[in-house]
Coordinates of all heavy atoms in Angstrom, one line a residue:
M1 N 12.2 18.1 -3.1 CA 12.2 18.8 -4.4 C 12.0 17.7 -5.5 O 12.6 16.7 -5.4 CB 13.4 19.6 -4.7 CG 13.5 20.9 -3.9 SD 14.8 22.0 -4.5 CE 16.3 21.2 -4.1
P2 N 11.2 18.0 -6.5 CA 11.0 17.1 -7.6 C 12.2 17.1 -8.6 O 12.9 18.0 -8.7 CB 9.7 17.6 -8.2 CG 9.6 19.0 -7.9 CD 10.3 19.2 -6.5
V3 N 12.2 16.0 -9.4 CA 13.2 15.9 -10.5 C 12.5 16.2 -11.8 O 11.4 15.6 -12.0 CB 13.8 14.5 -10.5 CG1 14.7 14.3 -11.6 CG2 14.5 14.2 -9.1
Y4 N 13.0 17.0 -12.6 CA 12.5 17.4 -13.9 C 13.4 17.0 -15.0 O 14.6 16.9 -14.8 CB 12.2 18.9 -14.0 CG 11.2 19.4 -13.0 CD1 11.6 20.2 -12.0 CD2 9.8 19.1 -13.1 CE1 10.6 20.7 -11.0 CE2 8.9 19.5 -12.2 CZ 9.3 20.3 -11.2 OH 8.4 20.8 -10.3
D5 N 12.8 16.7 -16.2 CA 13.6 16.3 -17.4 C 13.8 17.6 -18.3 O 12.8 18.3 -18.5 CB 12.9 15.2 -18.2 CG 12.8 13.9 -17.4 OD1 13.8 13.6 -16.7 OD2 11.7 13.3 -17.5
Y6 N 15.0 17.7 -18.8 CA 15.3 18.8 -19.7 C 16.0 18.3 -20.9 O 16.6 17.2 -20.9 CB 16.2 19.9 -19.0 CG 15.5 20.5 -17.8 CD1 15.6 20.0 -16.6 CD2 14.8 21.7 -18.0 CE1 15.0 20.6 -15.5 CE2 14.1 22.3 -17.0 CZ 14.3 21.7 -15.7 OH 13.6 22.3 -14.7
A7 N 15.9 19.0 -22.1 CA 16.5 18.6 -23.3 C 17.4 19.7 -23.8 O 17.0 20.8 -24.2 CB 15.5 18.3 -24.3
C8 N 18.7 19.4 -23.8 CA 19.7 20.4 -24.4 C 19.9 20.1 -25.9 O 19.9 18.9 -26.3 CB 21.0 20.2 -23.7 SG 22.4 21.2 -24.3
D9 N 19.9 21.1 -26.7 CA 20.0 20.9 -28.2 C 21.4 20.3 -28.5 O 21.4 19.5 -29.5 CB 19.9 22.3 -28.9 CG 18.5 22.9 -28.7 OD1 17.6 22.1 -28.6 OD2 18.4 24.1 -28.8
D10 N 22.4 20.6 -27.8 CA 23.7 20.0 -28.1 C 24.0 18.7 -27.4 O 24.6 17.8 -28.0 CB 24.8 21.0 -27.8 CG 24.7 22.3 -28.6 OD1 24.2 22.2 -29.7 OD2 25.0 23.4 -28.0
C11 N 23.7 18.6 -26.2 CA 24.1 17.4 -25.3 C 23.0 16.3 -25.2 O 23.3 15.2 -24.7 CB 24.5 17.9 -23.9 SG 25.8 19.2 -24.0
G12 N 21.8 16.7 -25.4 CA 20.7 15.7 -25.2 C 19.9 15.9 -23.9 O 19.9 17.0 -23.4
T13 N 19.3 14.8 -23.5 CA 18.4 15.0 -22.3 C 19.2 14.8 -21.0 O 20.2 14.1 -21.0 CB 17.2 14.0 -22.3 OG1 17.8 12.7 -22.4 CG2 16.4 14.2 -23.6
F14 N 18.7 15.5 -20.0 CA 19.2 15.3 -18.6 C 18.1 15.6 -17.6 O 17.1 16.1 -17.9 CB 20.5 16.2 -18.4 CG 20.1 17.7 -18.4 CD1 19.9 18.4 -17.3 CD2 20.1 18.4 -19.6 CE1 19.6 19.7 -17.4 CE2 19.8 19.7 -19.7 CZ 19.6 20.4 -18.6
T15 N 18.4 15.2 -16.4 CA 17.4 15.4 -15.3 C 18.1 16.4 -14.3 O 19.3 16.4 -14.1 CB 17.0 14.1 -14.6 OG1 18.2 13.5 -14.0 CG2 16.3 13.2 -15.5
A16 N 17.2 17.1 -13.6 CA 17.7 18.1 -12.6 C 16.8 18.2 -11.4 O 15.5 18.1 -11.6 CB 17.9 19.5 -13.2
L17 N 17.3 18.3 -10.3 CA 16.5 18.4 -9.1 C 16.3 19.9 -8.9 O 17.2 20.7 -8.7 CB 17.3 17.9 -7.9 CG 16.6 17.8 -6.5 CD1 15.4 16.8 -6.6 CD2 17.6 17.4 -5.4
R18 N 15.0 20.4 -9.0 CA 14.7 21.8 -9.0 C 13.5 22.0 -8.0 O 12.7 21.1 -7.9 CB 14.3 22.3 -10.4 CG 15.2 22.0 -11.5 CD 16.3 23.2 -11.6 NE 15.7 24.5 -11.7 CZ 15.7 25.3 -12.7 NH1 16.2 24.8 -13.9 NH2 15.1 26.4 -12.7
P19 N 13.4 23.2 -7.5 CA 12.2 23.5 -6.7 C 11.0 23.6 -7.6 O 11.0 23.9 -8.7 CB 12.5 24.9 -6.0 CG 13.6 25.5 -6.9 CD 14.3 24.3 -7.5
M20 N 9.8 23.4 -6.9 CA 8.5 23.4 -7.7 C 8.3 24.8 -8.3 O 7.6 24.9 -9.3 CB 7.4 22.9 -6.8 CG 7.4 21.5 -6.5 SD 6.1 20.9 -5.5 CE 4.8 21.0 -6.6
S21 N 8.8 25.8 -7.6 CA 8.5 27.2 -8.1 C 9.2 27.4 -9.5 O 8.9 28.3 -10.2 CB 9.0 28.2 -7.1 OG 10.4 28.1 -6.9
A22 N 10.2 26.6 -9.8 CA 11.0 26.8 -11.0 C 10.7 25.7 -12.1 O 11.5 25.4 -13.0 CB 12.5 26.8 -10.8
F23 N 9.5 25.1 -12.0 CA 9.1 24.0 -12.9 C 9.0 24.4 -14.4 O 9.3 23.6 -15.2 CB 7.8 23.3 -12.5 CG 6.6 24.1 -12.9 CD1 5.9 23.8 -14.0 CD2 6.1 25.2 -12.1 CE1 4.8 24.5 -14.4 CE2 5.0 25.8 -12.5 CZ 4.3 25.5 -13.6
D24 N 8.6 25.6 -14.6 CA 8.5 26.1 -16.0 C 9.7 26.8 -16.6 O 9.7 27.2 -17.7 CB 7.2 26.9 -16.2 CG 7.2 28.1 -15.3 OD1 8.1 28.2 -14.4 OD2 6.4 29.0 -15.5
Q25 N 10.7 27.1 -15.8 CA 11.9 27.8 -16.2 C 12.9 26.9 -16.8 O 13.1 25.7 -16.3 CB 12.5 28.6 -15.0 CG 11.5 29.6 -14.4 CD 12.0 30.2 -13.1 OE1 13.1 29.8 -12.7 NE2 11.2 31.0 -12.5
P26 N 13.7 27.3 -17.8 CA 14.7 26.5 -18.4 C 15.9 26.3 -17.3 O 16.0 27.1 -16.4 CB 15.2 27.3 -19.6 CG 14.6 28.6 -19.5 CD 13.5 28.6 -18.5
C27 N 16.6 25.2 -17.5 CA 17.7 24.9 -16.6 C 19.0 24.9 -17.4 O 19.0 24.5 -18.6 CB 17.4 23.5 -16.0 SG 18.7 23.0 -14.8
G28 N 20.1 25.2 -16.7 CA 21.4 25.1 -17.4 C 21.9 23.7 -17.5 O 21.8 22.9 -16.6
C29 N 22.4 23.4 -18.7 CA 22.9 22.0 -19.0 C 24.1 21.8 -18.2 O 25.0 22.7 -18.1 CB 23.2 21.9 -20.5 SG 23.9 20.3 -20.9
P30 N 24.3 20.7 -17.5 CA 25.4 20.4 -16.7 C 26.7 20.2 -17.5 O 27.8 20.4 -17.0 CB 25.1 19.1 -15.9 CG 24.0 18.5 -16.7 CD 23.3 19.6 -17.4
D31 N 26.6 19.9 -18.8 CA 27.8 19.7 -19.6 C 28.3 21.0 -20.3 O 29.4 21.4 -20.2 CB 27.5 18.6 -20.7 CG 27.3 17.3 -20.1 OD1 27.8 17.0 -19.0 OD2 26.5 16.5 -20.7
C32 N 27.3 21.7 -21.0 CA 27.8 22.9 -21.8 C 27.3 24.2 -21.1 O 27.8 25.2 -21.5 CB 27.3 22.8 -23.2 SG 25.5 22.8 -23.4
G33 N 26.4 24.2 -20.2 CA 25.9 25.4 -19.6 C 24.8 26.1 -20.3 O 24.3 27.1 -19.8
A34 N 24.4 25.7 -21.5 CA 23.3 26.3 -22.2 C 22.0 26.1 -21.5 O 21.8 25.1 -20.8 CB 23.3 25.8 -23.7
Q35 N 21.1 27.1 -21.7 CA 19.7 27.0 -21.1 C 18.9 25.9 -21.9 O 18.8 26.1 -23.1 CB 19.1 28.3 -21.1 CG 19.7 29.3 -20.2 CD 19.6 28.9 -18.7 OE1 18.5 28.5 -18.2 NE2 20.7 28.9 -18.0
A36 N 18.4 24.9 -21.2 CA 17.6 23.9 -21.9 C 16.2 24.0 -21.4 O 15.9 24.1 -20.2 CB 18.2 22.5 -21.6
P37 N 15.2 23.8 -22.3 CA 13.8 23.8 -21.9 C 13.4 22.5 -21.2 O 14.0 21.4 -21.5 CB 13.0 24.0 -23.2 CG 13.9 23.5 -24.2 CD 15.3 23.7 -23.7
R38 N 12.4 22.5 -20.4 CA 11.9 21.4 -19.7 C 11.1 20.5 -20.8 O 10.4 21.1 -21.6 CB 11.0 21.7 -18.6 CG 10.4 20.5 -17.8 CD 9.7 21.0 -16.6 NE 9.0 19.8 -16.1 CZ 7.7 19.8 -15.6 NH1 7.1 20.9 -15.6 NH2 7.2 18.7 -15.2
V39 N 11.2 19.2 -20.7 CA 10.5 18.3 -21.6 C 9.8 17.2 -20.7 O 10.2 17.0 -19.6 CB 11.4 17.6 -22.6 CG1 11.9 18.7 -23.6 CG2 12.5 16.9 -22.0
M40 N 8.8 16.6 -21.3 CA 8.1 15.5 -20.7 C 8.5 14.2 -21.4 O 8.0 14.0 -22.6 CB 6.6 15.6 -20.8 CG 6.1 16.8 -20.0 SD 5.9 16.3 -18.3 CE 4.5 17.4 -17.8
L41 N 9.4 13.4 -20.9 CA 9.9 12.2 -21.5 C 9.0 11.0 -21.3 O 8.8 10.2 -22.1 CB 11.3 11.9 -21.1 CG 12.3 13.0 -21.4 CD1 13.7 12.6 -20.9 CD2 12.4 13.2 -22.9
V42 N 8.4 10.9 -20.1 CA 7.5 9.9 -19.8 C 6.3 10.4 -19.1 O 6.3 11.5 -18.5 CB 8.2 8.8 -18.8 CG1 9.3 8.1 -19.4 CG2 8.6 9.5 -17.5
A43 N 5.2 9.7 -19.2 CA 3.9 10.1 -18.6 C 4.1 10.1 -17.0 O 4.8 9.1 -16.5 CB 2.8 9.3 -19.0
P44 N 3.5 10.9 -16.3 CA 3.6 10.9 -14.8 C 2.9 9.6 -14.3 O 1.8 9.2 -14.9 CB 2.9 12.1 -14.4 CG 2.1 12.6 -15.5 CD 2.7 12.1 -16.7
A45 N 3.5 9.0 -13.3 CA 2.9 7.8 -12.7 C 1.8 8.2 -11.7 O 2.1 9.0 -10.8 CB 4.0 6.9 -12.1
L46 N 0.7 7.6 -11.7 CA -0.4 7.9 -10.8 C -0.5 6.7 -9.8 O -0.5 5.6 -10.3 CB -1.7 8.1 -11.5 CG -1.7 9.3 -12.5 CD1 -3.1 9.3 -13.3 CD2 -1.4 10.6 -11.9
A47 N -0.6 7.1 -8.6 CA -0.8 6.0 -7.6 C -2.2 5.7 -7.4 O -3.0 6.5 -6.9 CB -0.2 6.5 -6.3
T48 N -2.6 4.6 -7.9 CA -4.0 4.2 -7.8 C -4.1 2.8 -7.2 O -3.1 2.0 -7.2 CB -4.7 4.0 -9.2 OG1 -4.0 3.1 -10.0 CG2 -4.7 5.4 -10.0
M49 N -5.2 2.5 -6.5 CA -5.4 1.2 -5.9 C -6.9 0.9 -5.9 O -7.7 1.8 -6.1 CB -4.9 1.3 -4.4 CG -5.6 2.2 -3.5 SD -5.0 2.2 -1.8 CE -3.5 3.0 -1.9
N50 N -7.2 -0.4 -5.8 CA -8.6 -0.8 -5.9 C -9.4 -0.4 -4.6 O -8.8 0.0 -3.6 CB -8.7 -2.3 -6.2 CG -8.2 -3.2 -5.1 OD1 -8.0 -2.7 -3.9 ND2 -7.8 -4.4 -5.4
S51 N -10.7 -0.5 -4.7 CA -11.5 0.1 -3.6 C -11.3 -0.7 -2.3 O -11.3 -0.1 -1.2 CB -13.0 0.1 -4.0 OG -13.4 -1.3 -4.2
A52 N -11.1 -2.0 -2.4 CA -10.9 -2.8 -1.1 C -9.7 -2.4 -0.4 O -9.6 -2.2 0.8 CB -10.9 -4.3 -1.4
R53 N -8.6 -2.2 -1.2 CA -7.3 -1.8 -0.6 C -7.4 -0.3 0.0 O -6.9 0.0 1.0 CB -6.2 -1.9 -1.6 CG -4.9 -1.7 -1.0 CD -3.8 -2.1 -2.0 NE -2.6 -2.2 -1.2 CZ -1.5 -2.8 -1.7 NH1 -1.5 -3.4 -2.8 NH2 -0.4 -2.9 -1.0
R54 N -8.1 0.5 -0.7 CA -8.3 1.9 -0.3 C -9.1 2.0 1.0 O -8.8 2.7 2.0 CB -9.0 2.7 -1.4 CG -9.0 4.2 -1.1 CD -9.6 5.0 -2.3 NE -10.8 4.5 -2.8 CZ -10.8 3.9 -4.1 NH1 -9.7 3.8 -4.8 NH2 -12.0 3.5 -4.5
I55 N -10.1 1.1 1.1 CA -10.9 1.1 2.4 C -10.1 0.5 3.5 O -10.2 1.1 4.6 CB -12.2 0.2 2.2 CG1 -13.2 1.0 1.2 CG2 -12.9 -0.1 3.5 CD1 -14.3 0.1 0.7
A56 N -9.3 -0.5 3.3 CA -8.4 -1.1 4.3 C -7.4 0.0 4.8 O -7.2 0.1 6.0 CB -7.7 -2.3 3.8
A57 N -6.8 0.7 3.8 CA -5.9 1.8 4.2 C -6.5 2.9 5.0 O -6.0 3.4 6.0 CB -5.2 2.3 3.0
A58 N -7.7 3.3 4.6 CA -8.5 4.3 5.4 C -8.8 3.8 6.8 O -8.7 4.6 7.8 CB -9.7 4.7 4.6
T59 N -9.2 2.5 6.9 CA -9.5 2.0 8.2 C -8.3 1.9 9.1 O -8.3 2.3 10.3 CB -10.1 0.6 8.1 OG1 -11.2 0.6 7.3 CG2 -10.4 -0.1 9.4
N60 N -7.1 1.5 8.5 CA -5.9 1.5 9.3 C -5.5 2.9 9.7 O -5.0 3.1 10.9 CB -4.8 0.9 8.5 CG -4.9 -0.6 8.4 OD1 -5.6 -1.2 9.2 ND2 -4.3 -1.2 7.4
E61 N -5.6 3.9 8.9 CA -5.2 5.2 9.2 C -6.1 5.8 10.3 O -5.7 6.4 11.2 CB -5.4 6.1 7.9 CG -4.9 7.5 8.1 CD -3.4 7.7 8.3 OE1 -2.7 6.8 7.9 OE2 -3.0 8.6 9.0
R62 N -7.4 5.5 10.2 CA -8.4 6.0 11.2 C -8.1 5.3 12.5 O -8.1 6.0 13.6 CB -9.8 5.6 10.7 CG -10.9 6.5 11.4 CD -12.2 6.3 10.7 NE -12.5 4.9 10.3 CZ -12.6 4.5 9.0 NH1 -12.4 5.3 8.1 NH2 -12.9 3.3 8.7
S63 N -7.8 4.0 12.6 CA -7.5 3.3 13.8 C -6.2 3.8 14.5 O -6.1 3.7 15.7 CB -7.5 1.8 13.6 OG -6.4 1.4 12.9
S64 N -5.3 4.3 13.7 CA -4.1 4.8 14.3 C -4.2 6.1 15.0 O -3.6 6.4 16.0 CB -2.9 4.9 13.3 OG -3.3 5.9 12.4
N65 N -5.2 6.9 14.6 CA -5.5 8.2 15.2 C -6.6 8.1 16.2 O -6.6 8.9 17.2 CB -5.8 9.2 14.2 CG -4.7 9.5 13.2 OD1 -3.5 9.4 13.6 ND2 -5.0 9.8 12.0
E66 N -7.6 7.3 16.0 CA -8.8 7.2 16.9 C -9.1 5.7 17.2 O -10.0 5.1 16.7 CB -10.0 7.8 16.2 CG -9.8 9.2 15.7 CD -10.9 9.7 14.8 OE1 -11.9 8.9 14.6 OE2 -10.8 10.7 14.3
P67 N -8.2 5.1 18.0 CA -8.5 3.7 18.3 C -9.7 3.5 19.1 O -10.1 4.3 19.9 CB -7.3 3.2 19.1 CG -6.7 4.5 19.7 CD -7.1 5.6 18.7
K68 N -10.5 2.4 18.8 CA -11.7 2.1 19.5 C -11.4 1.2 20.7 O -10.5 0.3 20.6 CB -12.7 1.3 18.5 CG -13.2 2.2 17.4 CD -14.1 1.5 16.6 CE -14.7 2.3 15.4 NZ -15.6 1.6 14.6
S69 N -12.2 1.4 21.7 CA -12.0 0.6 22.9 C -12.9 -0.7 22.7 O -13.8 -0.7 21.9 CB -12.4 1.3 24.1 OG -13.8 1.5 24.2
S70 N -12.6 -1.7 23.5 CA -13.4 -3.0 23.4 C -14.8 -2.8 23.9 O -15.7 -3.6 23.6 CB -12.7 -4.1 24.2 OG -12.6 -3.7 25.6
K71 N -15.1 -1.7 24.5 CA -16.4 -1.4 25.0 C -17.4 -0.9 23.9 O -18.6 -0.9 24.0 CB -16.4 -0.3 26.1 CG -15.7 -0.8 27.4 CD -15.7 0.3 28.4 CE -14.9 -0.1 29.6 NZ -14.7 0.9 30.5
S72 N -16.8 -0.6 22.8 CA -17.6 0.0 21.7 C -18.1 -1.1 20.7 O -18.7 -0.8 19.7 CB -16.8 1.0 20.9 OG -15.7 0.4 20.3
H73 N -17.8 -2.4 21.0 CA -18.3 -3.5 20.1 C -19.7 -3.7 20.3 O -20.3 -3.6 21.3 CB -17.5 -4.8 20.5 CG -16.1 -4.7 20.1 ND1 -15.5 -5.6 19.3 CD2 -15.1 -3.9 20.4 CE1 -14.2 -5.3 19.1 NE2 -14.0 -4.3 19.8
A74 N -20.4 -3.9 19.2 CA -21.8 -4.2 19.1 C -22.1 -5.6 19.0 O -21.3 -6.4 18.6 CB -22.4 -3.4 17.9
P75 N -23.3 -6.0 19.4 CA -23.7 -7.4 19.2 C -23.6 -7.9 17.8 O -24.0 -7.1 16.9 CB -25.1 -7.5 19.8 CG -25.3 -6.3 20.6 CD -24.4 -5.3 20.1
G76 N -23.0 -9.0 17.5 CA -22.9 -9.5 16.2 C -21.7 -9.0 15.4 O -21.5 -9.3 14.3
C77 N -20.7 -8.3 16.1 CA -19.5 -8.0 15.4 C -18.7 -9.2 15.2 O -18.8 -10.2 15.8 CB -18.8 -6.9 16.2 SG -18.0 -7.5 17.7
G78 N -17.7 -9.1 14.3 CA -16.9 -10.3 13.9 C -16.1 -10.9 15.0 O -15.8 -12.1 14.9
C79 N -15.6 -10.0 15.9 CA -14.7 -10.6 16.9 C -15.4 -11.2 18.1 O -14.9 -11.9 18.8 CB -13.7 -9.5 17.4 SG -14.5 -8.1 18.2
C80 N -16.7 -10.8 18.3 CA -17.4 -11.3 19.5 C -18.4 -12.4 19.1 O -18.9 -13.1 19.9 CB -18.1 -10.2 20.2 SG -17.0 -8.9 20.7
S81 N -18.8 -12.4 17.8 CA -19.8 -13.4 17.4 C -19.3 -14.7 17.2 O -18.2 -14.9 16.6 CB -20.5 -12.8 16.1 OG -21.4 -13.7 15.6
S82 N -20.0 -15.8 17.5 CA -19.6 -17.1 17.2 C -20.3 -17.6 16.0 O -20.1 -18.8 15.6 CB -20.0 -18.0 18.4 OG -21.3 -18.0 18.6
R83 N -21.0 -16.8 15.3 CA -21.7 -17.2 14.1 C -20.7 -17.4 13.0 O -19.8 -16.6 12.8 CB -22.6 -16.0 13.6 CG -23.5 -16.4 12.5 CD -24.4 -15.3 12.1 NE -23.8 -14.6 11.0 CZ -23.7 -13.3 10.8 NH1 -24.3 -12.5 11.7 NH2 -23.2 -12.8 9.8
G84 N -20.8 -18.6 12.4 CA -19.9 -18.9 11.3 C -18.7 -19.6 11.7 O -17.9 -20.1 10.9
L85 N -18.4 -19.8 13.0 CA -17.2 -20.5 13.5 C -17.6 -22.0 13.7 O -18.6 -22.3 14.2 CB -16.8 -19.9 14.9 CG -16.3 -18.5 14.8 CD1 -15.9 -18.0 16.2 CD2 -15.2 -18.3 13.9
K86 N -16.7 -22.8 13.2 CA -16.9 -24.3 13.4 C -16.3 -24.7 14.7 O -15.2 -24.3 15.0 CB -16.3 -25.0 12.2 CG -16.9 -24.7 10.8 CD -16.2 -25.5 9.8 CE -16.9 -25.2 8.4 NZ -16.2 -25.9 7.4
Q87 N -17.0 -25.7 15.3 CA -16.5 -26.3 16.5 C -15.6 -27.4 16.1 O -15.8 -28.1 15.1 CB -17.7 -26.8 17.3 CG -18.6 -25.8 17.8 CD -17.9 -24.8 18.8 OE1 -17.0 -25.3 19.6 NE2 -18.4 -23.6 18.8
P88 N -14.5 -27.6 16.8 CA -13.5 -28.6 16.4 C -14.2 -30.0 16.6 O -14.9 -30.2 17.6 CB -12.4 -28.5 17.4 CG -12.8 -27.6 18.5 CD -14.0 -26.8 17.9
S89 N -14.0 -30.9 15.7 CA -14.6 -32.2 15.8 C -13.9 -33.0 16.7 O -12.7 -32.9 16.9 CB -14.6 -32.9 14.4 OG -13.3 -33.0 13.9
S90 N -14.6 -33.9 17.4 CA -14.0 -34.8 18.3 C -13.3 -36.0 17.6 O -13.8 -36.4 16.6 CB -15.1 -35.4 19.2 OG -14.6 -36.4 20.0
A91 N -12.2 -36.5 18.1 CA -11.5 -37.6 17.5 C -12.4 -38.9 17.6 O -12.3 -39.7 16.7 CB -10.2 -37.8 18.1
A92 N -13.2 -38.9 18.6 CA -14.0 -40.1 18.7 C -15.1 -40.2 17.6 O -15.5 -41.3 17.2 CB -14.7 -40.1 20.1
K93 N -15.5 -39.1 17.1 CA -16.5 -39.0 16.1 C -15.9 -39.4 14.7 O -16.5 -40.1 13.9 CB -17.2 -37.7 16.0 CG -18.1 -37.4 17.1 CD -18.8 -36.1 17.0 CE -19.7 -35.7 18.1 NZ -20.2 -34.4 18.0
S94 N -14.7 -38.8 14.5 CA -14.1 -39.1 13.2 C -13.4 -40.4 13.1 O -13.3 -41.0 12.0 CB -13.1 -37.9 12.8 OG -12.2 -37.8 13.9
F95 N -12.9 -40.9 14.2 CA -12.3 -42.2 14.2 C -12.8 -43.0 15.4 O -12.3 -43.0 16.5 CB -10.7 -42.1 14.4 CG -10.1 -41.3 13.3 CD1 -9.6 -40.0 13.6 CD2 -9.9 -41.8 12.1 CE1 -9.0 -39.2 12.6 CE2 -9.3 -41.0 11.1 CZ -8.8 -39.8 11.4
P96 N -14.0 -43.7 15.2 CA -14.7 -44.3 16.4 C -13.8 -45.4 17.0 O -13.9 -45.6 18.2 CB -15.9 -44.8 15.8 CG -15.8 -44.8 14.3 CD -14.7 -43.8 14.0
K97 N -13.0 -46.1 16.3 CA -12.2 -47.2 16.9 C -10.8 -46.7 17.3 O -10.1 -47.5 17.9 CB -12.1 -48.3 15.9 CG -13.5 -49.0 15.6 CD -13.3 -50.1 14.7 CE -14.7 -50.7 14.5 NZ -14.7 -51.8 13.6
A98 N -10.4 -45.5 16.9 CA -9.0 -45.1 17.2 C -9.0 -44.5 18.6 O -10.0 -44.1 19.2 CB -8.6 -44.0 16.2
R99 N -7.8 -44.5 19.1 CA -7.6 -43.9 20.5 C -7.6 -42.3 20.3 O -6.8 -41.8 19.5 CB -6.3 -44.4 21.1 CG -6.3 -45.8 21.2 CD -5.0 -46.3 21.8 NE -5.0 -47.8 21.7 CZ -4.0 -48.5 21.3 NH1 -2.8 -47.9 20.9 NH2 -4.0 -49.8 21.2
P100 N -8.4 -41.6 21.0 CA -8.5 -40.1 20.7 C -7.2 -39.4 21.1 O -7.0 -38.3 20.7 CB -9.7 -39.7 21.6 CG -9.9 -40.8 22.5 CD -9.3 -42.0 21.9
W101 N -6.3 -40.0 22.0 CA -5.1 -39.2 22.4 C -4.0 -39.5 21.4 O -2.9 -38.9 21.6 CB -4.7 -39.7 23.8 CG -4.4 -41.1 23.9 CD1 -3.2 -41.8 23.7 CD2 -5.3 -42.2 24.3 NE1 -3.4 -43.1 23.9 CE2 -4.6 -43.4 24.3 CE3 -6.7 -42.2 24.7 CZ2 -5.3 -44.6 24.6 CZ3 -7.3 -43.4 25.0 CH2 -6.5 -44.6 24.9
M102 N -4.1 -40.3 20.4 CA -3.1 -40.6 19.4 C -3.2 -39.7 18.2 O -4.3 -39.4 17.8 CB -3.1 -42.0 19.0 CG -2.7 -43.0 20.0 SD -2.7 -44.7 19.4 CE -1.3 -44.6 18.4
I103 N -2.1 -39.2 17.7 CA -2.1 -38.4 16.5 C -1.8 -39.3 15.3 O -0.8 -40.0 15.3 CB -1.0 -37.3 16.6 CG1 -1.3 -36.4 17.8 CG2 -1.0 -36.5 15.3 CD1 -0.3 -35.4 18.0
S104 N -2.7 -39.3 14.3 CA -2.5 -40.2 13.2 C -1.7 -39.4 12.1 O -1.6 -38.2 12.1 CB -3.9 -40.6 12.6 OG -4.5 -39.4 12.1
H105 N -1.2 -40.2 11.2 CA -0.3 -39.6 10.1 C -1.1 -39.4 8.9 O -1.9 -40.1 8.4 CB 0.9 -40.5 9.9 CG 1.8 -40.6 11.0 ND1 2.8 -39.7 11.3 CD2 1.9 -41.5 12.0 CE1 3.4 -40.0 12.4 NE2 2.9 -41.1 12.9

């Protein structure tokens, strides 16, 4: 159930947990019992996110319900392709006179 804000003429503002079907009906003040109308004290907060985060969330949601098997990978996909990956350099190339089995500081 949502929480709504109300303004009592005598006691001031208060919040009440009410069903959504009673959103437009006045609520009894918890201090004096008088019927208080609903008021909007703050603007409603909207949950927004940028497009990259929204796409990532949609991908995660989709993968939790419909996981792909490893057989569905296509040539050139990021996990199977070696394109763009650097090969580790040999110690002999970077330090020609150093011993390759030693770790330098």
Side-chain angles (χ1 to χ4, degrees):
M1 281 195 295
V3 176
Y4 297 110
D5 296 321
Y6 296 91
C8 177
D9 292 334
D10 299 328
C11 305
T13 60
F14 64 93
T15 58
L17 186 68
R18 303 276 307 251
M20 289 179 70
S21 61
F23 78 96
D24 59 346
Q25 299 171 0
C27 180
C29 177
D31 294 332
C32 66
Q35 292 296 312
R38 182 174 168 220
V39 293
M40 296 276 210
L41 297 177
V42 293
L46 301 175
T48 60
M49 61 177 77
N50 63 21
S51 63
R53 190 169 193 163
R54 187 174 46 252
I55 290 168
T59 302
N60 288 341
E61 184 70 27
R62 200 170 40 250
S63 68
S64 67
N65 296 328
E66 303 168 8
K68 293 182 179 180
S69 69
S70 60
K71 295 177 185 175
S72 64
H73 290 237
C77 70
C79 64
C80 300
S81 174
S82 61
R83 190 178 95 219
L85 299 178
K86 294 181 179 179
Q87 296 295 328
S89 63
S90 168
K93 290 181 182 177
S94 58
F95 303 105
K97 295 182 181 178
R99 298 178 193 137
W101 60 86
M102 292 183 68
I103 299 174
S104 63
H105 294 276

